[in-house]
Amino acid sequence: MISSPMARRLRACALLGLLLAAGWSTAASAGPMATGGPTSQPIGHYDFCKTSPAECSIHPGNLAPATMSGALWRKILSVNARVNTAVKPISDIDIYGRDEVWAYPVKGVGDCEDYVLEKRRELNRLGVSFANLLMTVVRKPDGEGHAVLTVRTSKGDYILDNLDGKVRSWDRTGYRFLKRQAIDNTGRWVSIRDGQPVLVGAVQ
């Protein structure tokens, strides 16, 4: 049996790969979140759509949830970790001098919705449909509004969050879910639960 340091590292990497590939099977017990009818866009998304109309007029053809697999799970984990590490959390007030500016973190800084936009863009580039990459507004336990990315899969809906390094099923986040993008139109939103309009600029 090979016992060199290189062989031990290779075995450790292989084991880590297997754990990452299988991790979703033990975590996926939530199923999809239930959505309601059409609702208003968050004001930040409305303004984002005015400056980037092409981003808000996408109508995905296939509306089925993404098939969960080890490869998809690794993409989700990798993008979540990479963007959380690459972007420094700074509020819209500090960046732009006003609230509710939804933008890509091109300068390496942003608040919650900027992380979401970047994760959504990167996962789409890796082959995940926009029908399964949904910007979502939640309320934190402290009452503050927050934005996260919902990834729809055949094993349930998962949340990518700049405030949490772990990817969790939506019902294990501790958040109150308010609204998210519609699966068939990137410019429209649907309700999840009744709630008051909130600002969504959480950075910590």
Side-chain angles (χ1 to χ4, degrees):
M1 182 175 185
I2 302 174
S3 59
S4 69
M6 176 61 72
R8 287 195 294 272
R9 284 196 294 272
L10 289 173
R11 285 196 297 271
C13 289
L15 178 59
L16 178 60
L18 289 172
L19 290 173
L20 288 175
W24 58 266
S25 63
T26 58
S29 60
M33 66 179 74
T35 57
T39 190
S40 60
Q41 285 177 281
I43 185 62
H45 191 248
Y46 174 80
D47 290 339
F48 174 77
C49 290
K50 287 197 299 184
T51 59
S52 305
E55 297 248 10
C56 302
S57 57
I58 299 168
H59 301 266
N62 183 359
L63 303 182
T67 300
M68 179 56 88
S69 65
L72 176 58
W73 185 242
R74 288 191 294 273
K75 290 177 184 178
I76 291 170
L77 294 180
S78 175
V79 167
N80 191 58
R82 183 166 65 249
V83 175
N84 282 357
T85 299
V87 179
K88 180 180 179 181
I90 299 180
S91 71
D92 287 335
I93 288 288
D94 291 333
I95 300 171
Y96 305 103
R98 59 190 176 94
D99 280 320
E100 291 298 281
V101 179
W102 293 31
Y104 288 103
V106 292
K107 295 182 179 179
V109 298
D111 67 357
C112 55
E113 69 275 355
D114 306 339
Y115 286 84
V116 172
L117 283 167
E118 186 61 31
K119 292 173 186 180
R120 177 174 169 268
R121 176 165 66 178
E122 291 196 19
L123 282 168
N124 180 252
R125 286 174 175 169
L126 292 173
V128 183
S129 169
F130 282 121
N132 300 316
L133 299 171
L134 307 171
M135 302 186 73
T136 304
V137 172
V138 302
R139 193 184 297 277
K140 295 163 54 184
D142 64 6
E144 183 182 13
H146 183 41
V148 296
L149 181 65
T150 298
V151 181
R152 294 173 66 236
T153 82
S154 58
K155 295 295 183 180
D157 291 351
Y158 289 89
I159 301 303
L160 279 63
D161 188 353
N162 66 297
L163 303 182
D164 188 346
K166 293 183 178 180
V167 176
R168 302 181 188 275
S169 58
W170 70 276
D171 65 340
R172 296 182 182 179
T173 60
Y175 295 145
R176 180 186 177 199
F177 285 75
L178 302 175
K179 60 176 75 176
R180 76 181 189 189
Q181 286 177 296
I183 65 174
D184 61 345
N185 185 337
T186 57
R188 294 188 179 177
W189 287 66
V190 295
S191 62
I192 301 170
R193 297 177 183 172
D194 292 336
Q196 297 298 316
V198 291
L199 297 179
V200 293
V203 294
Q204 63 181 9

